[in-house]
Structure formats: structure tokens, C-alpha cells
Amino acid sequence: MTKRRVYVDNAATTPVHPQVMKEMLPYFTQYYGNPSSIHSFGRQAKHAMDKARERVAAALGAATDEVFFTGSGTEADNWAVKGVAFANKGRGNHIITTKIEHHALLHTCQYLEKHGFEVTYLDVDEYGRISLKQLNEAIKDSTILISIMFANNEIGTIQPVGEIARIAKEKGIYFHTDAVQAMGNVKIDVKEIGVDLLSISAHKIMGPKGIGVLYIRKGIRIDNLVHGGAQERRRRSGTENVAAVVGMGKAAQLAAENLEQHTKRMTSLRDRLIDGIIERIPHVKLNGHPTERLANNVNFSFEFVEGEALLLSLDMAGIAASSGSACTSGSLDPSHVLLAIGLSHETAHGSLRMTLGEANTEEDIDYILEQLPPIANRLRELSPLFKQCEGGKVSV
Amino acid sequence: MTKRRVYVDNAATTPVHPQVMKEMLPYFTQYYGNPSSIHSFGRQAKHAMDKARERVAAALGAATDEVFFTGSGTEADNWAVKGVAFANKGRGNHIITTKIEHHALLHTCQYLEKHGFEVTYLDVDEYGRISLKQLNEAIKDSTILISIMFANNEIGTIQPVGEIARIAKEKGIYFHTDAVQAMGNVKIDVKEIGVDLLSISAHKIMGPKGIGVLYIRKGIRIDNLVHGGAQERRRRSGTENVAAVVGMGKAAQLAAENLEQHTKRMTSLRDRLIDGIIERIPHVKLNGHPTERLANNVNFSFEFVEGEALLLSLDMAGIAASSGSACTSGSLDPSHVLLAIGLSHETAHGSLRMTLGEANTEEDIDYILEQLPPIANRLRELSPLFKQCEGGKVSV
Amino acid sequence: MYNETVMEHFTNPRNVGEIEDADGVGEVGSPQCGDIMKIFLRIEDNIIKDIKFKTFGCASAIASSSIMTEMVKGKTIEEALSLTNRDVVDALGGLPAPKVHCSVLAEEAIRAAIEDYRKKSEGTRNSG
Amino acid sequence: MYNETVMEHFTNPRNVGEIEDADGVGEVGSPQCGDIMKIFLRIEDNIIKDIKFKTFGCASAIASSSIMTEMVKGKTIEEALSLTNRDVVDALGGLPAPKVHCSVLAEEAIRAAIEDYRKKSEGTRNSG
Ligand SMILES: Cc1ncc(COP(=O)(O)O)c(C=O)c1O
Ligand SMILES: Cc1ncc(COP(=O)(O)O)c(C=O)c1O
């Protein structure tokens, strides 16, 4: 009997969609030309790039010349923030972001703080939402950039990006949003939102790893991050990663086309999982917003147990989940996002994130609901923080 | 009859080697985990990364913890130069490089000049070699970095990197070399050379596009270029591009293993092509060094004709070549490298680069030698710069 | 990430539980750090007759607790005190670098429990 | 990169060559810029009876030269002077943005040749 394997870590990364793979494949060994070359091999590659750029533009509601391919979501975030900061430092040195951004944003901001910039990190409420009032109050004459993520990678909370964009526009401040997790799970139309810069990453939407996109609204003043050849209209250098660009194009197209159907299915699976856990396991707390949350995000704190132990036990049962962001699960610190929504250190340590994807089924959910309670129970019995009362009732 | 297609633009990019492709493939759809995840999907990916890193380390003579994966050769170059510059600006602000570097280096240096750094661009002789004497004279107390390419991408000239490393070491200055074109064509052993930082790119050695490596000798002070998650031992953030990393590992292994046999074959094809052109076509000039040149590089100037017209005509005959670097062929300026070796503008405009690869055969060379003379002849007849004498003899 | 020995001790930890009226109890770590180890000792004639643990923490913390209890069970107090975190790591066949502190916690936990026993028995001696 | 019309004119350029003792010769561009266009005119009764060109330059320079010679052949001098680079681009069915300067060169070349013809014929008139 092969063990069941249930992958519910789709916020960390996703498998490449078969249709995406199929379109990428010829660009490794057959149409391998460099798009900058003028011969037929190069023109084939260039043509594929153009088509992919059109698809991404269509998926985001952008113009094709506002779409710039990067080497990752992280690079898109770095570029947006450093590029705007350095290009506009004549106008001011103040940046506003939040305490719950991805490290790609936070560590970039910390780096800028070392180079003469001032950064305000907005608080969030217990559900992970920023306060528009606090945002308004944080704005100064020297504010040149607001960067607030569209949806959080750990707890799935969605921010009011449209209203943030309005505030930013009113004050003449650039607004960037990290939409890496939102893409595919929320409708994104850059013009409707009114955002100036927006980052996405292919590997979160069944595209390949190592390719991102930065949407840059026409007219934005931004420095380059990676200097060199004339690729991406002289704004992002390096031989184009044609196969990955093709993959990003197809993945973005599928994400936009399937959005409604996908989120409907994810929401139903998500709620089955959330309800099932609350029913079966005492002393759990749903992290994130009850309604303004990504359709595929489930994040619980399990009191008295530590997340890694939970993860490894689930892994032995074939269930791949995460404890906080993919990037923090290797670290020892509890997630900055969970602390920002007010969890105690020990509760933050006991968090479990399950992020659903295309491949998941109701059977997967039921399997998790069958495996998870005894695992939580065993670890709680090992825990000195937890005492089981004799009558089978649970107390602390 | 299908037209013969002869790809001789391997310095622009190469097809992915079937063995490389085979090893990469499972990491898109099967072993798709995020290497930072601790579950089995993540561990599979992590394991693949480790193996690839060992292969690259072995191919370069480096330790595994001196190998850092980047999103391209361009990013590796940007990181090396900006990272060392910003991390060591307390010690000095002077950088030495050459006039014939790739744009990834040159534009990075120009960017640094805008940010308070001073850059010396060394001349090269008519063959494209720097003078060690001039290098020595250029060194000042404020010099913190020497960055000189291992081998040039346009004319294939190889620099005396070992001697440059000795000079740098003597003066306590970091030495970086862009070995993107050297890899696979020249033996590279970072310890033997004594280099501090070295860049390579997979797509030049039959690996995938969008993946590079920066070798950073242990103990080098260098800032990050891309900030975010804890990947690459906290030095280069972004979800690891596992499939591409696996591809880079295999490509580097093959490049190192097949080096001797490969360069022997390339040299023989190269010399057949060089000799054949000189025999068949008057008024041509071989650009680059007669002996200290990459085994796969052929670069000629054809007097009286313009490079793009030559390229397009060859392309119509199924031959894919280049006129200068892949990055400049889209531009209107004549190659900075050809000007640096002293060519006039019009001679620089008439340059043709053919860079051989694994797939090329003697039949390919003979096909080129058959197609090229009438093409050059036709364009010369179109050219007001060229007058054919009646006796069939050629004069200007 | 973890070797088989670690995973085996994590999956089937030895000596889990509490000892009522233990002769010595030690608790180290803190919930903030994500690790708490609590050790219960039954000591007779200077020998660790029984030992139990409860641990809140990651797999390596649980495995370190488990193997440590096996290593000191039946040993004299002095032998138990000579146990170092290196011994724990070695017995586990190695731990990933960022997890070595779990073995330190195991060393500290047994020391804390023995100290508690000594304090208690001094108290007994003094009052007896 | 180039459309079929451009490629066709590049591959089979019309009116290549020189005219001995031409009535007007115009040369524009420079080798530094990578483009030189040289136009030879035979003019009778204010009409361009024959035209030839030689061009050193890229495919679009050659195609622009070729199509321009076709467009002005048989036309009056005034008609030829009214030709703009836009007309050349349109006749070619479009050129990539960085190549539009080639069509400008074609416009300048025919103007230069006509100017040379006028100067020469003035000279002839004056001396005749
Ligand atoms: C010498 C040299 N350096 C750097 C690069 C840039 O590498 P990549 O295309 O991977 O960004 C290239 C190729 O484009 C090159 O030839
Ligand atoms: C919200 C968010 N931003 C940025 C990133 C970084 O994207 P990438 O892994 O493509 O660098 C991630 C994922 O890691 C993310 O979840």
C-alpha cells in the first residue's frame, strides 16, 4: 500500500501545471535561442516572450510595456522598493509598510534604513488588517512610497488595497503591493485598484520557480536593480529566462481564467477543513481574518504543542504543511506575522498553516481531519504545558 | 528538403543538454517542494540542491559553502561588484575593471560611479589583452576591487587571471572575474587561480537560462543584493529555483568533465573555420588573440559590409551567428569591445561572431564556408565603400 | 533533516510522563523560545531508578529528552552529572546545527532535576 | 523582426548599382553610424529616368534604399522631393522603431542627389 501524500503547502510553492509544463518544454532544447539575437532562433524566443508578456498583461489588466520579468517574487519586491527609494530620494526618504510583510519586503526596508531611509511599520489588528486611519496618520511630507501586501502568506488576510491606493494617490505617493499570494486567489486588476507597482511570482500559481513579474505603471520613476544588457526595455538585465517566462505567461493566464471556479472550490475545501478542525480538536485558534482571507489559507494555533513537531508528525502521515511562512520554518524565531496579530510566543510556536491547491480533494481534507487529532493529542500528552483531566476533559 | 540549420551562436546561449534536461524534469511537476520546507517534499528539493551545489563546487574547485546560486550571470556580476563595493566602502572607493567587460559589469560600474565610487577602465591591446603593468599602475590605496573578465564574450580573448590574482593578493585587494564565457572552454580552479569571486551562468554551458553562480571565497566581505528570506545561507533570497539549480549542477559537472575533449574538438572546428574564411574571402580581419582565445570563438571583421545585413543573410541560409555580443546586436552602436581593440567604426560594424558548440560538426563548418563567401560578396557589391576591379581583383 | 535515530526517538519517545512525588524535578527552557523540558527523577541509593520527561518543543527537543533519559537511567548521580550535550548529540547520531541547543537543554534539564533532588534531600536531612 | 516586404527588398534589392556620368549623385550617412547611402540619378525633362543605389548598412537601410528608388523612378523632381521617410516606412509596411532612421536616410539621399543635380545643371546653365 503506498502511503497517501497530501500536499497542503501551496503557499510555499506549487507543482507546475501540466499545461504550463507543456508550453515551457520546447524552450529548453528546441527553441533555445536568445531573444536578443536577430536570427531565427532568437526571433522564435522573442516571439514567445511577447506572447507571454501579453498574457501576463491581460491577467493583471496592465499594458504589455508595464510588465517586467524578474528572477523571482523576491527580486520584484526588492526592485520595487529599492528602485523607487533610490530614484526618488530627492523628494523624500520615508517609506510606509506593515509589520506583517514578507521578508522580501521587510529585509529590504531594513537595508534601506541603513542607507538613510526612514521606515514606518504599520501595526495590524488581531485579524491581520491594517488601519487606514493609522496609515493616513503615518503619511508625512517626506513619504515617497507605501508598500503594503495584497494578501498575507501566513494567515491569508487580505488588505483593502483599493482604499490604500486612493489614499496614496490623493497624497501623490507611490503605492506598491506584494500580490505574490493574492494572484490566483483574488481578482487583480491594476487599473481598477489604482496601484503603481505590483509583484507576483509564478511558482505560487502553478508556474515555475525563479520567475516573477513587477508591474510598473507607466511614468513611475524607478532605478534599476540589476544592471547590464538592454533586456526588458533596459530596465532588468540578464539573458531572458525564456522557458520560465513562457511558464509565467501560461500560469498567469490560467490563474486569471480559472479564478472564479478555483476560489469557489478552494473556499469550500478550506471551510470544510476549518470547521472540521474546530469540531474535532479543542484549544485551537484560527489565525487570520474570518472572511477577508485567501480562499486556500487555513492557519491554526494549537495550544501546548510546538509547530515543527506537528509538521514532522503530519509529514510521517504523508501530509505536507507548514508552520508559518516557508522562509521562517527553517528558523527558530516564531513568525513575526503571528506575533503582530497578538499571539503569545508559545501560541505562535504552535501554529500550523495548510494552504490548499488545485490538486486537493475532499478526500484529502477528510484524511487530514482523521490524522490531525491523534497527532495533536499525542504531542499534547508529551507537553508539560498541558494536563489531561481524568474525566477526559481538558484543562490547562 | 528541409533547410540546414547551423547554430553557431553558442556564446549568446546554448541548448539545454539532454542529460541536463533529464535531471531537471522531475523538479517541475514531481519533486516540486520548496527546499525551505521541512516536510518530505521540501527535503527532496533540499537534497537536490545540496547535490547540485556539490557538483558546482567540484567543477570550480570550491567548497560547497562558497557556492551561491543567483538568477543569472548578470545578477552574479552585479552582486559581486555592488556587494563588495558597498560592504567595503569604509576601506576605499576605487574599482579597477576593463573597457571590454560585459555590460553586466560595465553598467554596474557606471551605476556605482553615480554613487560615489571611482572606476578605472583599463585599456586592452589590439588582441584584447590587458597590460599587467597598467594594472599595477592603476592600483591606489583606495582600490577595493579588481574585476577583470576571464574570457571575452565577443572576441574570445583570455586574460592572465592567475597573474592578476597574484597582483591583487599582494596588494590586499579583492579580485572578481566574470567567467561566464570561460566556463566549459577553459579549466577553472578557483583555488589555483587564487580568485576571490567568480561568476558563471548555466545557459552558456548547456544548462538552463535564468540561473547563475557566484563563487565567494570564505571570509569575503560582501553585502547582499537581493534581500528577503534565509535562502543561500542568508545571502541571496528568493525561493530556490530547484529545477534550474539541478540543471546548473549537471551542466557544470559535464562542462568540467568534458573540458579536454570538448575544447580539443572545438579548437579543430574553430581553426577549420578561421582558415577557411581567410582562404576564401579577401579583406577580412580576425578579431581577438591568435592563441589566447576561447576554443569556440571565431570573430571576423568583413570590410565594406555591415554586420546585421551579414547576419540576416546568413540566417536566410539557416546559419545563426551574431555581430558582437548578444546584448549589443539589438543596439545601433558598434561593439565597445571592437572599438577598444582599435577597430574603426565601420570595421566594427562589419563584424561577425560565430561561436561553436557541442552540436556543431565539420559539415556545419563546410556549409558555412560554402554560404559565407557569396553572401559577403553580394553585400560588398551593394556597398558604396567597395569597388570591384575589372580584372576580378579587389581594391578599395 | 533529521537522521533515523532522532526520528525514532521523536516517534517513540522513551520514558514519557510524570512521576508523582518525584525525588527531583527540573524544568528548563521557556515557551517564548519554543522549548520546555521537564524532568522527573526517582532516586534510590544515589542511583537514578526512574526518570520521566515531558517536553514542549520540536522533534529534536523531544528526541534529546528521550535519549537523555535512556542514557542516565540506572546511572549514579555523578555519572548523570557528567553527561554533556555533546554526548546527547553523539548518541543521536548528530543534530542539524540550528538544533544543537536542544541537546544543551537536555543537559541542563537533568542537572536542574538533580539539583532539585539535592536541595530537597538536604532539606530532608536538615529537617530529619 | 522585419516584415516580408522589407526582407524581400533586402534579398532582391531593385536598382542596385551606379550610373556612370550621373546627372546627380547624393551620398548621406557615415561609416561611423553604420549606414551610407549613395544615389545616382539620370534625369531628363525634369523626370527621373533612371536611378541606382549603393548602400552600406543593415537590412532596413538596403530595403529603404531599394523601395525608395522604385517610388521615385519615373516621377518628376518635385514629386520625388515630396517623398517623406514616412512614405518609405509605409511602403515597406513598417520598420522596427530603432530602424526608422534608415527611412530618413533614404529621404535625405534622394534629396541630396536632386540637390547635386540642380547644382550641376545650374553650373551647366551658367557655363552654357
Ligand atoms: C561575459 C558575460 N558575462 C555575463 C553575462 C550575463 O549572463 P546572463 O545572460 O546569465 O545574465 C554574459 C552573457 O550574456 C556574458 O557573456
Ligand atoms: C507574500 C510573498 N512575497 C514574496 C515572496 C517571494 O517570492 P519568491 O519565492 O518568488 O522569491 C513570497 C513567497 O516566498 C510571498 O509569499
Side-chain angles (χ1 to χ4, degrees), chain A residues 46-160:
Chain A
K46 176 74 165 52
H47 181 74
M49 295 273 308
D50 290 345
K51 187 166 149 198
R53 201 183 304 278
E54 277 165 28
R55 284 173 164 179
V56 172
L60 297 177
T64 51
D65 59 356
E66 297 175 318
V67 170
F68 296 87
F69 292 106
T70 67
S72 63
T74 296
E75 187 191 323
D77 282 346
N78 272 254
W79 183 14
V81 176
K82 290 179 195 165
V84 165
F86 285 117
N88 296 277
K89 67 180 175 195
R91 284 175 43 214
N93 74 335
H94 182 234
I95 296 166
I96 300 175
T97 185
T98 77
K99 290 198 172 139
I100 62 161
E101 298 297 313
H102 189 269
H103 281 141
L105 229 292
L106 287 182
H107 289 162
T108 297
C109 286
Q110 284 159 14
Y111 172 79
L112 288 175
E113 285 183 287
K114 284 196 214 136
H115 284 75
F117 291 89
E118 185 199 346
V119 183
T120 300
Y121 300 90
L122 297 177
D123 289 320
V124 292
D125 65 18
E126 60 179 313
Y127 304 115
R129 297 261 288 186
I130 64 148
S131 139
L132 294 172
K133 183 162 165 288
Q134 218 188 82
L135 169 61
N136 258 310
E137 287 164 4
I139 294 173
K140 316 188 201 188
D141 287 347
S142 58
T143 309
I144 50 174
L145 176 68
I146 297 171
S147 180
I148 293 177
M149 72 198 317
F150 201 131
N152 184 268
N153 47 308
E154 295 191 37
I155 56 176
T157 301
I158 299 167
Q159 302 295 341

Side-chain angles (χ1 to χ4, degrees), chain B residues 52-171:
Chain B
R53 202 183 303 279
E54 276 164 28
R55 283 174 165 178
V56 172
L60 297 177
T64 52
D65 58 356
E66 297 175 319
V67 170
F68 296 87
F69 292 106
T70 67
S72 63
T74 297
E75 187 191 324
D77 282 346
N78 271 254
W79 183 15
V81 176
K82 292 179 193 164
V84 164
F86 286 117
N88 296 278
K89 66 182 174 193
R91 281 176 44 214
N93 74 334
H94 183 234
I95 296 167
I96 300 173
T97 184
T98 78
K99 290 199 172 138
I100 61 161
E101 298 297 312
H102 190 268
H103 282 142
L105 230 291
L106 287 182
H107 289 162
T108 297
C109 285
Q110 283 158 14
Y111 173 79
L112 288 174
E113 284 183 288
K114 285 197 211 137
H115 285 75
F117 291 88
E118 185 200 347
V119 182
T120 300
Y121 300 92
L122 296 178
D123 290 319
V124 293
D125 64 20
E126 60 179 313
Y127 303 116
R129 297 260 289 186
I130 65 150
S131 138
L132 294 172
K133 182 160 164 288
Q134 216 187 82
L135 169 63
N136 258 311
E137 287 164 3
I139 293 173
K140 316 187 200 190
D141 287 347
S142 58
T143 309
I144 52 176
L145 176 67
I146 297 170
S147 179
I148 292 176
M149 71 198 315
F150 202 130
N152 185 268
N153 44 308
E154 296 191 37
I155 55 175
T157 302
I158 299 167
Q159 303 295 340
V161 286
E163 293 169 56
I164 299 169
R166 262 192 296 286
I167 293 172
K169 181 165 289 166
E170 222 166 72
K171 303 282 171 91

Side-chain angles (χ1 to χ4, degrees), chain B residues 310-328:
Chain B
L310 210 47
L311 282 193
L312 275 179
S313 305
L314 285 168
D315 184 46
M316 285 186 283
I319 299 166
S322 145
S323 178
S325 111
C327 302
T328 51

Side-chain angles (χ1 to χ4, degrees), chain A residues 72-74 77 102 104 149 153 178 180-181 201 203-204 327, chain B residues 238-239:
Chain A
S72 63
T74 296
D77 282 346
H102 189 269
M149 72 198 317
N153 47 308
D178 174 343
V180 168
Q181 293 292 340
S201 178
H203 75 96
K204 311 287 188 183
C327 303
Chain B
T239 301

Side-chain angles (χ1 to χ4, degrees), chain A residues 13-14 33 55 59 135 150 201 223 229 248 254 309 352 357 376 385 396:
Chain A
T13 195
T14 58
R55 284 173 164 179
L135 169 61
F150 201 131
S201 178
D223 271 7
M248 166 59 102
L254 291 176
L352 179 71
L385 302 174
V396 191

Side-chain angles (χ1 to χ4, degrees), chain B residues 302-306 308-310 312-313 316 330-332 334 345-347 349-350 378-387, chain D residues 1-2 7 10-13 16 18 27 31-38 53-60 62 98-99 101:
Chain B
F302 292 74
E303 300 280 349
F304 324 122
V305 302
E306 194 275 340
E308 193 218 84
L310 210 47
L312 275 179
S313 305
M316 285 186 283
S331 127
L332 299 173
H345 273 73
E346 62 258 48
T347 308
H349 275 298
R378 180 181 93 89
L379 292 171
R380 283 179 172 175
E381 276 168 7
L382 271 169
S383 170
L385 302 176
F386 177 79
K387 284 199 176 56
Chain D
M1 184 161 80
Y2 294 122
M7 287 309 288
F10 168 55
T11 323
N12 302 303
V16 173
E18 308 193 356
E27 182 174 311
Q32 279 88 329
C33 306
D35 298 297
I36 299 178
M37 244 178 239
K38 196 165 180 183
F53 82 90
K54 284 223 164 171
T55 291
F56 162 78
C58 63
S60 60
I62 291 168
K99 298 294 187 177
H101 74 275

